[in-house]
Amino acid sequence: MPDLVLELRSEEIPARMQRKAAGDLRKMLTDGLVEAGLTYEAAREYWTPRRLALDVRGLTARSKDILEEIKGPSTTAPEQAVQGFLRKAGLSSIAEAHVHSDPKKGDFYVAHISKPGRAAEEIIAELVPGIIKNFPWPKSMRWGAASAKPGSLRWVRPLQSIVCTFGPETEEPVVVDFEIDGIRSGNVTYGHRFHAPGPITVRRFDDYAAKLEAAKVVLDADRRKEIILADARNVAFANGLDLVEDEGLLEEVSGLVEWPVVLMGEFEQDFLTIPAEVIRLTIRANQKCFVTRPQGAGEDLSNRFILVANIEAKDGGKEIAYGNGKVVRARLSDALYFWKTDQGDLPDLGTLQESAAKFELDLKKPLDQRMARLDHLNVTFHAKLGTQGARVERIKRLAEELAPTVAKSISPLEGEMAGRPEGVASAGATHSGLSKREEVGTPRETTPSVASGDISPSRGEITALVARAAVLAKADLQTEVVGEFPELQGAMGRKYALLQGEHPSVAAAAEEHYKPQGPSDRVPTDPVSVAVALADKLDTLTGFWAIDEKPTGSKDPFALRRAALGVVRILIENRIRLGLTSVFAKAFASFAGDVAQISDLLGFFHDRLKVYLRESGARYDLIDAVITPQSDDLLQIVRRVEALGKFLDTEDGKNLLAGTKRAANILAAEEKKKTRVAEIVEPALFREDAEKKLSAAVNQAEKAAGQAIQNEDFSAAMLTLSVLREPVDSFFEGVLVNDEDQAVRANRLALLARIRAATDQVADFSKIVG
């Protein structure tokens, strides 16, 4: 079967757009081919900085003939309906239609439309120009004289040539001929801009790829990545170094070169006094180069870096490496200036006294000065939510409120060991549907929060440390380094806090209060970091709720879903019991929030918790059975789900579920019919021993379950309900609920209501599937 080769060659395509553009091209073309009646065996996309290419194998040479029937109106229909049918079917007169009969509907018109198949070349020639004209580039441009004309061709960069060949392996492929804005398709492409700028005539894909390789173009982007990574590792190793790998940078660099040549540059040792993160970002952002470290040197960097050139220079790349080194040195000089400036006094120090007094800042310390300036300059956080200084005040108040609860839940000496809550499934457990991948409530990564020292605060110190950490958490926003590299926000706050002698927990909180920033990011575990992280996220959520800026559909410009999920993970994975309703009330007080907002925000948290638990493998019906609109202790919900899952995996649990659902269904049906249900159960109206035994069992279970729940022993609460299993079974086997005596019936329905009330203490069994 024939194969298709398509190449769209242009000026350099931005690296960030290449992979998606190639995928879009494959999808648009293959979808169009299939829609036109063609089939294919395989399709793969390729890209370099100067071209998008497709290899479509096993494409049918011609679309099939199609015989289509279009049903029309009755033969007795008015002329207007007949004319509409003729237009739809493309017939010139009703004489061209056929008459079909139906025993029920009578005679009606049918158009038999025959569409002969079309050659694949014809279909491709029509399809590709339309794809080019309507290609979904994030940004595109017009160029040349034709750009003045309305509707002229737009492409990400000027389009220079189009290769489009089609044919089987056993024959000479043909050029699929079409033209778009003066660019005619052909079988000629061009190799590397400098090494092989001449024309290359190509036939089918293997020939195309091989000739490009010979012309110093590696067509496969993933292979270019492999070449770069392998060569970079080898060059580093040969110089006694290890490459600091960076997948994002590797992807970008592979999109900047067609013929990767790995070289090594260097800069002065003095620049290594700059923090490693700043060096790495400076070299990455400005020169797209990789950094290295001495073998076995931990996090310390070396003064050599890896660059990727697009040419094989005659001098072996010495001038290229030297030129890159000059630029890197200039950028590192700037970074060194920023780093030193941030550790010195601010020039406007005399104007910061009022802000310093407000936050109890020590203006002898550089980071305190930056916080004072952040407040003094009235830097806006959000137009409707005030300044960053006002926000820091709110976070500090809320963090101080949360500190005792956090300190009670997390031992200061064991903060880094926070793990799964009591009662949460062990790895591999399946009784509640919890994931085999991971335990609910267990951090994905456990790393000591106070990495810079082993000093851990006592519980008595935590509140003071939390207040200090909350005040300094946003101070690095006013530093020069963060101004240049916003992605270092938090990380630089930690470094500067340690430099000025802050407690390690305060320094850690400056960085960790932003965590977790995604589902795979670890949660903070140091109690100081946890309190500030919770306060930061809860202030954000309550603030945007108060001004009615909530997520809608897929839109969440302020990342509120991520913030709520962060709170969920922090609470659960650190085993923190926290009543969110009271916390919301205190937070909303700063924004004049109302009760309705609290209820709505709590519902939003319930949705995030459901997402978290479901992704961990928990059954949706068990979550729904446990959560009520008033549930505001997320850890308690998790423990209830876990205990319910364990219970329902037992025979007693399965049988009790069946019995209680039967009781609930009968009761619901009678309540719907407005059948009288007695307010209390009268033992004097019992006629059967099964009624008496069930009543006694309900009394026992209700009391015992209530006590267990009060003690927050949800497993025990479930276990106490198991005594109902046999009495419930016996009741339904030997007792007719709808007795003719209305008083007896009402009493028996009241007994069913007692069963429902007893089980509702732990979960709404009616929502459980099974």
Side-chain angles (χ1 to χ4, degrees):
M1 296 177 73
D3 300 331
L4 170 67
V5 176
L6 176 65
E7 180 200 70
L8 305 176
R9 188 178 64 88
S10 67
E11 293 293 334
E12 277 71 9
I13 305 167
R16 67 182 183 280
M17 298 183 187
Q18 292 168 18
R19 184 178 291 271
K20 183 179 184 304
D24 288 341
L25 179 61
R26 176 183 54 78
K27 186 176 188 308
M28 293 174 76
L29 182 66
T30 54
D31 285 355
L33 294 173
V34 171
E35 188 176 339
L38 300 177
T39 62
Y40 64 96
E41 294 176 358
R44 184 178 174 187
E45 68 272 29
Y46 297 86
W47 63 93
T48 78
R50 299 176 63 212
R51 68 200 80 221
L52 302 178
L54 279 183
D55 173 23
V56 183
R57 301 287 176 99
L59 187 64
T60 47
R62 187 178 183 84
S63 62
K64 293 181 180 179
D65 296 339
I66 297 174
L67 181 62
E68 182 181 3
E69 287 190 357
I70 300 177
K71 186 178 179 180
S74 167
T75 55
T76 60
E79 182 62 21
Q80 186 177 1
V82 172
Q83 290 301 319
F85 164 65
L86 294 177
R87 286 193 298 271
K88 178 182 178 181
L91 303 180
S92 58
S93 74
I94 199 63
E96 297 178 5
H98 295 74
V99 177
H100 288 198
S101 296
D102 184 279
K104 295 182 179 180
K105 299 181 179 180
D107 294 344
F108 58 92
Y109 292 115
V110 174
H112 292 179
I113 308 298
S114 178
K115 295 182 180 179
R118 301 169 64 202
E121 298 99 307
E122 181 184 344
I123 293 172
I124 295 166
E126 285 184 5
L127 183 60
V128 175
I131 291 173
I132 293 173
K133 286 184 177 180
N134 298 292
F135 201 79
W137 291 109
K139 292 183 179 180
S140 57
M141 61 181 290
R142 295 189 178 99
W143 63 92
S147 63
K149 301 176 183 178
S152 60
L153 176 63
R154 299 182 67 94
W155 200 244
V156 62
R157 295 291 185 269
L159 188 62
Q160 296 178 327
S161 68
I162 301 171
V163 170
C164 192
T165 67
F166 180 71
E169 291 185 8
T170 56
E171 300 176 13
E172 185 69 18
V174 299
V175 171
V176 179
D177 185 46
F178 57 86
E179 182 181 338
I180 179 167
D181 271 29
I183 303 172
R184 183 168 292 280
S185 59
N187 60 354
V188 175
T189 188
Y190 295 82
H192 192 283
R193 185 186 296 275
F194 303 110
H195 289 308
I200 302 168
T201 302
V202 299
R203 299 169 69 243
R204 52 188 54 84
F205 181 79
D206 292 340
D207 171 64
Y208 164 74
K211 286 182 175 177
L212 279 181
E213 186 92 12
K216 304 293 187 181
V217 174
V218 179
L219 184 63
D220 187 342
D222 290 329
R223 184 163 160 258
R224 290 200 303 276
K225 288 174 65 174
E226 291 171 2
I227 292 170
I228 293 168
L229 184 58
D231 288 356
R233 285 171 175 169
N234 290 337
V235 169
F237 182 78
N239 287 272
L241 305 170
D242 286 330
L243 176 72
V244 178
E245 297 184 14
D246 185 330
E247 175 61 30
L249 179 58
L250 181 61
E251 173 78 11
E252 184 176 9
V253 169
S254 73
L256 297 175
V257 296
E258 291 193 316
W259 189 254
V261 178
V262 172
L263 304 170
M264 177 170 279
E266 64 179 314
F267 54 86
E268 285 75 11
Q269 290 272 359
D270 293 347
F271 289 122
L272 294 178
T273 58
I274 306 170
E277 299 96 325
V278 178
I279 294 175
R280 185 175 179 178
L281 270 176
T282 299
I283 293 176
R284 185 190 199 279
N286 292 289
Q287 288 304 102
K288 313 301 180 189
C289 295
F290 299 86
V291 294
T292 63
R293 59 170 58 102
Q295 292 175 358
E299 296 300 314
D300 294 336
L301 298 182
S302 80
N303 67 323
R304 297 189 177 186
F305 60 92
I306 298 291
L307 61 119
V308 183
N310 192 36
I311 60 172
E312 293 179 346
K314 293 179 180 179
D315 64 354
K318 291 181 180 179
E319 282 300 316
I320 295 173
Y322 177 74
N324 275 268
K326 284 180 65 177
V327 177
V328 165
R329 284 190 286 275
R331 298 302 185 186
L332 288 178
S333 293
D334 292 341
L336 183 60
Y337 170 78
F338 297 148
W339 168 244
K340 290 181 176 178
T341 300
D342 286 340
Q343 296 171 60
D345 289 338
L346 291 171
D348 55 348
L349 191 58
T351 66
L352 307 179
Q353 300 294 335
E354 185 178 343
S355 293
K358 182 195 303 185
F359 290 101
E360 299 179 358
L361 297 167
D362 181 356
L363 291 183
K364 295 178 181 178
K365 297 182 176 181
L367 203 57
D368 290 55
Q369 293 179 23
R370 272 69 187 174
M371 178 57 223
R373 176 190 261 185
L374 184 69
D375 178 68
H376 174 73
L377 295 178
N378 291 319
V379 177
T380 300
F381 168 62
H382 185 278
K384 296 181 180 179
L385 295 175
T387 65
Q388 286 281 11
R391 182 165 185 253
V392 169
E393 285 188 277
R394 296 195 303 268
I395 292 172
K396 176 177 178 289
R397 285 196 303 270
L398 189 54
E400 288 175 315
E401 291 275 358
L402 295 171
T405 300
V406 172
K408 183 179 178 182
S409 301
I410 306 176
S411 167
L413 298 176
E414 299 176 359
E416 68 212 49
M417 299 175 64
R420 96 177 154 269
E422 296 173 12
V424 172
S426 60
T430 58
H431 43 259
S432 62
L434 292 175
S435 175
K436 296 179 181 178
R437 294 183 291 105
E438 65 177 33
E439 308 165 29
V440 175
T442 302
R444 290 174 172 83
E445 176 186 351
T446 53
T447 303
S449 293
V450 188
S452 54
D454 296 327
I455 304 170
S456 297
S458 67
R459 287 184 179 177
E461 295 175 310
I462 287 179
T463 300
L465 291 174
V466 164
R468 177 66 173 164
V471 166
L472 293 181
K474 307 296 182 183
D476 67 351
L477 294 175
Q478 280 293 305
T479 62
E480 298 289 335
V481 169
V482 172
E484 180 73 10
F485 302 111
E487 54 266 61
L488 288 179
Q489 179 179 343
M492 296 312 300
R494 181 176 192 158
K495 286 187 178 295
Y496 290 139
L498 290 172
L499 281 173
Q500 69 177 36
E502 298 296 331
H503 191 287
S505 288
V506 172
E511 179 177 17
E512 294 184 342
H513 79 282
Y514 292 108
K515 294 182 176 293
Q517 295 188 338
S520 60
D521 193 16
R522 70 177 183 87
V523 300
T525 56
D526 181 275
V528 177
S529 296
V530 168
V532 180
L534 287 172
D536 180 44
K537 291 169 178 58
L538 289 169
D539 176 79
T540 298
L541 287 157
T542 51
F544 282 106
W545 239 254
I547 62 173
D548 199 28
E549 290 281 1
K550 308 169 190 176
T552 55
S554 61
K555 295 182 180 179
D556 186 10
F558 303 109
L560 301 183
R561 292 188 181 96
R562 186 176 70 186
L565 187 57
V567 173
V568 168
R569 288 189 57 206
I570 289 171
L571 293 178
I572 293 173
E573 296 177 19
N574 283 296
R575 300 176 295 190
I576 297 173
R577 300 290 310 279
L578 184 66
L580 289 176
T581 302
S582 61
V583 175
F584 291 163
K586 291 172 184 174
F588 271 122
S590 300
F591 306 104
D594 57 32
V595 176
Q597 290 170 326
I598 293 175
S599 176
D600 186 55
L601 182 54
L602 185 58
F604 181 72
F605 267 87
H606 288 166
D607 291 339
R608 295 303 98 201
L609 177 62
K610 289 177 181 179
V611 169
Y612 173 76
L613 290 177
R614 287 171 185 168
E615 288 180 350
S616 300
R619 283 171 46 181
Y620 74 92
D621 57 331
L622 302 193
I623 303 170
D624 290 339
V626 164
I627 290 182
T628 68
Q630 293 75 39
S631 301
D632 70 345
D633 186 334
L634 304 186
L635 182 59
Q636 187 183 85
I637 294 172
V638 172
R639 289 174 171 170
R640 282 178 179 260
V641 170
E642 174 63 19
L644 181 59
K646 285 182 179 179
F647 178 60
L648 293 178
D649 263 2
T650 67
E651 284 301 312
D652 283 344
K654 292 173 184 175
N655 291 328
L656 180 61
L657 174 62
T660 53
K661 287 175 76 77
R662 184 176 178 184
N665 290 338
I666 293 172
L667 190 60
E670 295 303 319
E671 287 174 337
K672 188 174 182 180
K673 293 188 289 186
K674 300 189 186 296
T675 303
R676 188 175 77 84
V677 179
E679 293 184 5
I680 59 172
V681 176
E682 290 287 354
L685 292 174
F686 291 154
R687 293 182 178 177
E688 307 289 344
D689 286 342
E691 291 178 278
K692 298 174 184 178
K693 290 181 180 179
L694 179 57
S695 180
V698 169
N699 288 335
Q700 177 188 345
E702 196 170 43
K703 182 178 179 180
Q707 185 61 49
I709 289 171
Q710 190 172 348
N711 296 335
E712 299 190 357
D713 189 344
F714 303 112
S715 295
M718 299 291 175
L719 189 61
T720 61
L721 294 179
S722 65
V723 303
L724 293 175
R725 178 229 170 142
E726 192 279 327
V728 167
D729 289 347
S730 298
F731 178 82
F732 284 118
E733 287 174 7
V735 178
L736 178 65
V737 175
N738 290 325
D739 194 89
E740 292 182 359
D741 187 323
Q742 291 187 7
V744 172
R745 180 195 304 170
N747 198 55
R748 289 174 178 171
L749 290 172
L751 188 54
L752 298 186
R754 288 285 306 282
I755 296 172
R756 183 173 65 183
T759 55
D760 276 356
Q761 291 181 96
V762 293
D764 184 348
F765 277 53
S766 67
K767 293 182 179 179
I768 300 173
V769 176

